[in-house]
Amino acid sequence: MTESPSLSLSLALIAIGQYSSTIETVDAGWCKEITDQGATQIAKSSKSLRYLGLMRCDKVNEETVERLVLQYPHIVFSTVMQDCKRTLERAYQMGWSPNTSTAS
């Protein structure tokens, strides 16, 4: 029996996390077979990781990413939603406020 691409990529991410003690950045963006399990395992197993790019990793659920953000605050998780949240937060910090008036 052959391994599925999802399992192979998840195992690869686990190995990177476990055996690369100094790795700080992993960009797995557009790897369509990365799963919640793979993203969770690399965050969990890599003590030096500071950035995990998951842009368009469609099998990684945004709820999983939200949980990882809370569990591993030292890691920047890059997804469309997370990047939008950071951009909006920076805009608020710089004094931007949404236009709440309605057009007549």
Side-chain angles (χ1 to χ4, degrees), residues 34-88:
I34 300 292
T35 63
D36 290 337
Q37 181 184 14
T40 299
Q41 286 301 317
I42 192 168
K44 181 178 175 181
S45 62
S46 179
K47 304 303 179 210
S48 60
L49 190 65
R50 297 293 173 254
Y51 174 89
L52 180 56
L54 297 169
M55 193 70 67
R56 289 308 315 250
C57 294
D58 297 339
K59 291 185 179 179
V60 178
N61 192 313
E62 194 61 38
E63 287 80 22
T64 298
V65 176
E66 290 288 342
R67 183 177 44 78
L68 292 173
V69 166
L70 294 174
Q71 283 184 299
Y72 304 98
H74 62 282
I75 301 174
V76 173
F77 295 90
S78 179
T79 64
V80 171
M81 185 64 73
Q82 293 301 314
D83 289 358
C84 286
K85 285 181 179 182
R86 279 190 294 276
T87 300
L88 187 57

